[in-house]
mmCIF file of all heavy atoms in Angstrom:
data_model
loop_
_atom_site.group_PDB
_atom_site.id
_atom_site.type_symbol
_atom_site.label_atom_id
_atom_site.label_comp_id
_atom_site.label_asym_id
_atom_site.label_seq_id
_atom_site.Cartn_x
_atom_site.Cartn_y
_atom_site.Cartn_z
ATOM 1 N N ALA A 95 13.353 -47.416 -17.516
ATOM 2 C CA ALA A 95 12.507 -48.562 -17.890
ATOM 3 C C ALA A 95 11.699 -48.241 -19.147
ATOM 4 O O ALA A 95 11.525 -49.091 -20.021
ATOM 5 C CB ALA A 95 11.579 -48.915 -16.724
ATOM 6 N N LEU A 96 11.216 -47.007 -19.237
ATOM 7 C CA LEU A 96 10.434 -46.630 -20.424
ATOM 8 C C LEU A 96 11.309 -46.662 -21.677
ATOM 9 O O LEU A 96 10.868 -47.102 -22.745
ATOM 10 C CB LEU A 96 9.828 -45.231 -20.240
ATOM 11 C CG LEU A 96 8.756 -44.851 -21.263
ATOM 12 C CD1 LEU A 96 7.477 -45.658 -21.026
ATOM 13 C CD2 LEU A 96 8.440 -43.366 -21.209
ATOM 14 N N ALA A 97 12.552 -46.219 -21.530
ATOM 15 C CA ALA A 97 13.471 -46.250 -22.674
ATOM 16 C C ALA A 97 13.703 -47.702 -23.107
ATOM 17 O O ALA A 97 13.735 -48.010 -24.308
ATOM 18 C CB ALA A 97 14.783 -45.565 -22.302
ATOM 19 N N THR A 98 13.852 -48.591 -22.137
ATOM 20 C CA THR A 98 14.029 -50.019 -22.451
ATOM 21 C C THR A 98 12.802 -50.549 -23.195
ATOM 22 O O THR A 98 12.917 -51.294 -24.173
ATOM 23 C CB THR A 98 14.242 -50.846 -21.155
ATOM 24 O OG1 THR A 98 15.332 -50.276 -20.455
ATOM 25 C CG2 THR A 98 14.496 -52.308 -21.445
ATOM 26 N N LEU A 99 11.617 -50.145 -22.718
ATOM 27 C CA LEU A 99 10.380 -50.603 -23.363
ATOM 28 C C LEU A 99 10.326 -50.122 -24.820
ATOM 29 O O LEU A 99 10.019 -50.913 -25.722
ATOM 30 C CB LEU A 99 9.158 -50.075 -22.592
ATOM 31 C CG LEU A 99 7.806 -50.352 -23.228
ATOM 32 C CD1 LEU A 99 7.492 -51.857 -23.214
ATOM 33 C CD2 LEU A 99 6.680 -49.592 -22.515
ATOM 34 N N ALA A 100 10.648 -48.844 -25.034
ATOM 35 C CA ALA A 100 10.609 -48.301 -26.396
ATOM 36 C C ALA A 100 11.586 -49.051 -27.296
ATOM 37 O O ALA A 100 11.284 -49.353 -28.462
ATOM 38 C CB ALA A 100 10.932 -46.808 -26.370
ATOM 39 N N GLU A 101 12.744 -49.381 -26.728
ATOM 40 C CA GLU A 101 13.753 -50.119 -27.498
ATOM 41 C C GLU A 101 13.232 -51.504 -27.859
ATOM 42 O O GLU A 101 13.363 -51.961 -28.992
ATOM 43 C CB GLU A 101 15.001 -50.254 -26.622
ATOM 44 C CG GLU A 101 16.307 -50.139 -27.366
ATOM 45 C CD GLU A 101 17.449 -50.179 -26.359
ATOM 46 O OE1 GLU A 101 17.705 -49.145 -25.728
ATOM 47 O OE2 GLU A 101 18.047 -51.274 -26.195
ATOM 48 N N THR A 102 12.600 -52.162 -26.893
ATOM 49 C CA THR A 102 12.050 -53.502 -27.122
ATOM 50 C C THR A 102 10.948 -53.456 -28.168
ATOM 51 O O THR A 102 10.851 -54.337 -29.035
ATOM 52 C CB THR A 102 11.464 -54.074 -25.803
ATOM 53 O OG1 THR A 102 12.441 -53.909 -24.788
ATOM 54 C CG2 THR A 102 11.101 -55.532 -25.928
ATOM 55 N N LEU A 103 10.100 -52.416 -28.073
ATOM 56 C CA LEU A 103 8.994 -52.296 -29.034
ATOM 57 C C LEU A 103 9.492 -51.888 -30.417
ATOM 58 O O LEU A 103 8.814 -52.096 -31.421
ATOM 59 C CB LEU A 103 7.976 -51.245 -28.547
ATOM 60 C CG LEU A 103 7.204 -51.538 -27.266
ATOM 61 C CD1 LEU A 103 6.387 -50.318 -26.838
ATOM 62 C CD2 LEU A 103 6.296 -52.755 -27.449
ATOM 63 N N GLY A 104 10.656 -51.244 -30.449
ATOM 64 C CA GLY A 104 11.193 -50.758 -31.716
ATOM 65 C C GLY A 104 10.473 -49.518 -32.210
ATOM 66 O O GLY A 104 10.512 -49.196 -33.403
ATOM 67 N N ARG A 105 9.795 -48.820 -31.306
ATOM 68 C CA ARG A 105 9.108 -47.571 -31.675
ATOM 69 C C ARG A 105 8.919 -46.744 -30.403
ATOM 70 O O ARG A 105 8.980 -47.290 -29.296
ATOM 71 C CB ARG A 105 7.740 -47.862 -32.297
ATOM 72 C CG ARG A 105 6.824 -48.666 -31.397
ATOM 73 C CD ARG A 105 5.389 -48.721 -31.907
ATOM 74 N NE ARG A 105 4.599 -49.727 -31.192
ATOM 75 C CZ ARG A 105 4.088 -49.574 -29.986
ATOM 76 N NH1 ARG A 105 4.280 -48.454 -29.314
ATOM 77 N NH2 ARG A 105 3.385 -50.536 -29.410
ATOM 78 N N PRO A 106 8.682 -45.431 -30.590
ATOM 79 C CA PRO A 106 8.462 -44.601 -29.396
ATOM 80 C C PRO A 106 7.166 -45.010 -28.699
ATOM 81 O O PRO A 106 6.243 -45.521 -29.350
ATOM 82 C CB PRO A 106 8.338 -43.174 -29.955
ATOM 83 C CG PRO A 106 8.719 -43.231 -31.390
ATOM 84 C CD PRO A 106 8.599 -44.659 -31.843
ATOM 85 N N VAL A 107 7.103 -44.776 -27.398
ATOM 86 C CA VAL A 107 5.855 -45.057 -26.667
ATOM 87 C C VAL A 107 4.862 -43.942 -26.960
ATOM 88 O O VAL A 107 5.201 -42.946 -27.599
ATOM 89 C CB VAL A 107 6.117 -45.161 -25.142
ATOM 90 C CG1 VAL A 107 7.030 -46.315 -24.837
ATOM 91 C CG2 VAL A 107 6.686 -43.855 -24.593
ATOM 92 N N LYS A 108 3.623 -44.099 -26.482
ATOM 93 C CA LYS A 108 2.590 -43.084 -26.724
ATOM 94 C C LYS A 108 3.024 -41.754 -26.108
ATOM 95 O O LYS A 108 3.625 -41.741 -25.020
ATOM 96 C CB LYS A 108 1.264 -43.514 -26.069
ATOM 97 C CG LYS A 108 0.568 -44.642 -26.782
ATOM 98 C CD LYS A 108 -0.897 -44.750 -26.374
ATOM 99 C CE LYS A 108 -1.108 -45.139 -24.945
ATOM 100 N NZ LYS A 108 -2.457 -45.465 -24.540
ATOM 101 N N PRO A 109 2.707 -40.627 -26.775
ATOM 102 C CA PRO A 109 3.102 -39.316 -26.221
ATOM 103 C C PRO A 109 2.632 -39.116 -24.778
ATOM 104 O O PRO A 109 3.340 -38.532 -23.973
ATOM 105 C CB PRO A 109 2.425 -38.316 -27.164
ATOM 106 C CG PRO A 109 2.246 -39.055 -28.444
ATOM 107 C CD PRO A 109 2.057 -40.500 -28.082
ATOM 108 N N SER A 110 1.445 -39.617 -24.445
ATOM 109 C CA SER A 110 0.953 -39.424 -23.064
ATOM 110 C C SER A 110 1.827 -40.205 -22.079
ATOM 111 O O SER A 110 2.079 -39.747 -20.955
ATOM 112 C CB SER A 110 -0.508 -39.858 -22.950
ATOM 113 O OG SER A 110 -0.628 -41.229 -23.248
ATOM 114 N N GLN A 111 2.314 -41.376 -22.497
ATOM 115 C CA GLN A 111 3.188 -42.158 -21.610
ATOM 116 C C GLN A 111 4.528 -41.447 -21.431
ATOM 117 O O GLN A 111 5.082 -41.415 -20.330
ATOM 118 C CB GLN A 111 3.393 -43.567 -22.179
ATOM 119 C CG GLN A 111 2.126 -44.402 -22.139
ATOM 120 C CD GLN A 111 2.280 -45.755 -22.813
ATOM 121 O OE1 GLN A 111 3.080 -45.923 -23.734
ATOM 122 N NE2 GLN A 111 1.491 -46.712 -22.375
ATOM 123 N N GLN A 112 5.026 -40.883 -22.538
ATOM 124 C CA GLN A 112 6.285 -40.142 -22.454
ATOM 125 C C GLN A 112 6.122 -38.906 -21.568
ATOM 126 O O GLN A 112 6.989 -38.582 -20.755
ATOM 127 C CB GLN A 112 6.727 -39.732 -23.874
ATOM 128 C CG GLN A 112 8.135 -39.140 -23.919
ATOM 129 C CD GLN A 112 9.202 -40.143 -23.458
ATOM 130 O OE1 GLN A 112 9.268 -41.254 -23.959
ATOM 131 N NE2 GLN A 112 10.011 -39.741 -22.467
ATOM 132 N N HIS A 113 4.977 -38.262 -21.716
ATOM 133 C CA HIS A 113 4.702 -37.053 -20.921
ATOM 134 C C HIS A 113 4.728 -37.390 -19.421
ATOM 135 O O HIS A 113 5.337 -36.671 -18.620
ATOM 136 C CB HIS A 113 3.335 -36.484 -21.311
ATOM 137 C CG HIS A 113 2.954 -35.278 -20.525
ATOM 138 N ND1 HIS A 113 3.247 -34.002 -20.925
ATOM 139 C CD2 HIS A 113 2.329 -35.155 -19.326
ATOM 140 C CE1 HIS A 113 2.817 -33.135 -20.022
ATOM 141 N NE2 HIS A 113 2.250 -33.814 -19.039
ATOM 142 N N LEU A 114 4.082 -38.485 -19.074
ATOM 143 C CA LEU A 114 4.072 -38.872 -17.651
ATOM 144 C C LEU A 114 5.496 -39.100 -17.155
ATOM 145 O O LEU A 114 5.883 -38.621 -16.083
ATOM 146 C CB LEU A 114 3.237 -40.142 -17.460
ATOM 147 C CG LEU A 114 3.209 -40.685 -16.026
ATOM 148 C CD1 LEU A 114 2.448 -39.741 -15.103
ATOM 149 C CD2 LEU A 114 2.565 -42.079 -15.974
ATOM 150 N N ALA A 115 6.276 -39.815 -17.960
ATOM 151 C CA ALA A 115 7.662 -40.101 -17.554
ATOM 152 C C ALA A 115 8.456 -38.805 -17.399
ATOM 153 O O ALA A 115 9.200 -38.628 -16.430
ATOM 154 C CB ALA A 115 8.324 -41.014 -18.582
ATOM 155 N N ASP A 116 8.264 -37.883 -18.338
ATOM 156 C CA ASP A 116 9.025 -36.626 -18.305
ATOM 157 C C ASP A 116 8.680 -35.770 -17.095
ATOM 158 O O ASP A 116 9.475 -34.923 -16.687
ATOM 159 C CB ASP A 116 8.768 -35.812 -19.586
ATOM 160 C CG ASP A 116 9.359 -36.488 -20.817
ATOM 161 O OD1 ASP A 116 10.205 -37.384 -20.642
ATOM 162 O OD2 ASP A 116 8.953 -36.133 -21.946
ATOM 163 N N HIS A 117 7.472 -35.955 -16.555
ATOM 164 C CA HIS A 117 7.024 -35.088 -15.454
ATOM 165 C C HIS A 117 6.811 -35.860 -14.156
ATOM 166 O O HIS A 117 6.165 -35.352 -13.238
ATOM 167 C CB HIS A 117 5.725 -34.381 -15.851
ATOM 168 C CG HIS A 117 5.927 -33.442 -17.009
ATOM 169 N ND1 HIS A 117 6.344 -32.142 -16.845
ATOM 170 C CD2 HIS A 117 5.828 -33.637 -18.340
ATOM 171 C CE1 HIS A 117 6.468 -31.573 -18.030
ATOM 172 N NE2 HIS A 117 6.169 -32.456 -18.962
ATOM 173 N N LEU A 118 7.352 -37.057 -14.085
ATOM 174 C CA LEU A 118 7.008 -37.917 -12.942
ATOM 175 C C LEU A 118 7.362 -37.292 -11.592
ATOM 176 O O LEU A 118 6.573 -37.351 -10.650
ATOM 177 C CB LEU A 118 7.681 -39.291 -13.099
ATOM 178 C CG LEU A 118 7.026 -40.424 -12.334
ATOM 179 C CD1 LEU A 118 5.580 -40.642 -12.756
ATOM 180 C CD2 LEU A 118 7.795 -41.729 -12.517
ATOM 181 N N GLU A 119 8.548 -36.672 -11.502
ATOM 182 C CA GLU A 119 8.896 -36.131 -10.180
ATOM 183 C C GLU A 119 8.131 -34.857 -9.846
ATOM 184 O O GLU A 119 8.124 -34.415 -8.709
ATOM 185 C CB GLU A 119 10.392 -35.897 -10.022
ATOM 186 C CG GLU A 119 10.992 -34.874 -10.932
ATOM 187 C CD GLU A 119 11.713 -35.549 -12.083
ATOM 188 O OE1 GLU A 119 11.062 -36.344 -12.810
ATOM 189 O OE2 GLU A 119 12.908 -35.293 -12.267
ATOM 190 N N GLU A 120 7.468 -34.286 -10.876
ATOM 191 C CA GLU A 120 6.656 -33.083 -10.613
ATOM 192 C C GLU A 120 5.241 -33.443 -10.164
ATOM 193 O O GLU A 120 4.476 -32.568 -9.751
ATOM 194 C CB GLU A 120 6.554 -32.236 -11.876
ATOM 195 C CG GLU A 120 7.885 -31.692 -12.369
ATOM 196 C CD GLU A 120 7.766 -31.256 -13.817
ATOM 197 O OE1 GLU A 120 6.907 -30.410 -14.122
ATOM 198 O OE2 GLU A 120 8.505 -31.805 -14.654
#
Side-chain angles (χ1 to χ4, degrees):
L96 193 71
T98 305
L99 174 67
E101 217 175 281
T102 311
L103 295 172
R105 57 169 168 78
V107 297
K108 287 197 294 189
S110 62
Q111 292 175 332
Q112 189 62 53
H113 178 91
L114 177 68
D116 292 344
H117 295 274
L118 203 60
E119 64 259 57
E120 297 162 57

